[in-house]
Amino acid sequence: SDSAGNFDIYLRDLQSSAVLPVTSHPAPQYKPAISPDGKRLAFVSERYDSEGDIILIELDPAKMVKSLLAGTYEIENFKQDVITNPNHENTNKIERIMDSDPDWSPDGRYIAFATRRFGGKNPNIGIIDTKNKNAITQITQSGGATPRFSPDGKKIYFISFKDDPLGEIYSIDIYTKQEKRITNDKFMDFSPSVSFDNKYLYYTSIRRDTNCNKRLDELDNSFIIRLD
């Protein structure tokens, strides 16, 4: 939310409806992704690189909410790990590369993300191994963004513009690198998400020129589509 004048990460407790800030920094911070066990938060931050880094922090949501309700909560100086820019404090080694769209694997070990570190015209999908010195492996070769793991951790769903400038949804097998095109239309398709039981694929689609500017763009009204 930018309710305080700058984009930061917030936590909302669904039982008490309490809302508390998790980050507070002059640089924008956004796209939070919580680990499956709820103990680690990955998010995009521009505090070291205006292109965006992925930062990882450990947190205890229950303890944070309890302290807020008791009136003792303060934004903590969480131990942070700038996992896509580990040399950010070294002006000779800091990387100026776009890293964005983090998503956790079901086992909580890997983080898929979109990045321009592999070169080329468009960003591609990489995977960070948080248990192996944050080693990064390239997954796609022809462009990819907004990755989402399948519930079994074997595939990644993502958006790519390689076949259509409006964007289509694809899946890729992490191990064989075999890609499959999911959507094939003349709409804007993006933001894929998979149900926990692996039965449905959800994504956002813009299908009508609702603002009457004679093209489809992000300002038009969108729909949530479900595929079996």
Side-chain angles (χ1 to χ4, degrees):
S1 173
D2 64 349
S3 58
N6 182 69
F7 278 105
D8 270 301
I9 310 298
Y10 291 79
L11 181 152
R12 179 183 177 91
D13 179 43
L14 297 183
Q15 291 185 332
S16 66
S17 296
V19 177
L20 57 92
V22 178
T23 67
S24 179
H25 195 276
Q29 300 180 115
Y30 43 89
K31 296 193 176 182
I34 193 74
S35 62
D37 63 6
K39 296 180 180 180
R40 291 174 294 169
L41 176 70
F43 59 93
V44 178
S45 175
E46 297 182 13
R47 65 177 71 180
Y48 304 114
D49 177 10
S50 60
E51 294 292 317
D53 296 317
I54 295 178
I55 292 181
L56 184 64
I57 61 174
E58 296 183 4
L59 71 171
D60 186 336
K63 180 180 178 181
M64 294 162 63
V65 172
K66 184 178 180 180
S67 63
L68 178 74
L69 297 177
T72 59
Y73 179 75
E74 294 181 0
I75 299 178
E76 302 180 39
N77 294 319
F78 296 100
K79 180 182 178 181
Q80 66 174 29
D81 187 0
V82 188
I83 56 178
T84 59
N85 204 351
N87 298 308
H88 60 277
E89 295 180 340
N90 187 329
T91 56
N92 295 320
K93 293 184 178 181
I94 187 173
E95 296 180 85
R96 307 292 184 183
I97 302 170
M98 185 217 82
D99 298 309
S100 188
D101 303 339
D103 184 64
W104 290 88
S105 63
D107 61 4
R109 174 170 179 170
Y110 303 98
I111 297 175
F113 70 115
T115 179
R116 291 188 179 275
R117 65 182 53 246
F118 305 124
K121 180 180 178 181
N122 298 312
N124 273 289
I125 305 299
I127 289 183
I128 302 167
D129 187 348
T130 64
K131 293 186 178 180
N132 184 23
K133 301 179 180 180
N134 294 327
I136 296 175
T137 302
Q138 183 174 356
I139 299 300
T140 64
Q141 301 290 331
S142 302
T146 60
R148 293 294 181 268
F149 275 99
S150 61
D152 59 11
K154 296 179 180 179
K155 294 181 180 180
I156 289 177
Y157 294 85
F158 63 99
I159 179 177
S160 179
F161 302 93
K162 63 180 183 177
D163 296 317
D164 191 315
L166 293 179
E168 300 286 3
I169 307 296
Y170 299 78
S171 67
I172 184 169
D173 186 290
I174 295 173
Y175 304 100
T176 67
K177 303 298 189 297
Q178 182 176 358
E179 289 189 17
K180 178 182 179 181
R181 184 171 177 176
I182 306 297
T183 60
N184 190 352
D185 53 50
K186 295 301 179 181
F187 309 131
M188 293 183 68
D189 300 324
F190 50 96
S191 298
S193 182
V194 189
S195 62
F196 290 119
D197 58 10
N198 208 28
K199 291 183 178 180
Y200 304 107
L201 173 71
Y202 296 87
Y203 65 93
T204 302
S205 185
I206 294 177
R207 303 191 165 197
R208 293 201 301 266
D209 178 21
T210 57
N211 62 1
C212 300
N213 64 353
K214 298 182 180 180
R215 66 176 184 271
L216 295 180
D217 56 33
E218 291 83 355
L219 298 178
D220 291 314
N221 295 338
S222 60
F223 300 89
I224 300 297
I225 307 298
R226 187 185 78 180
L227 293 180
D228 296 344

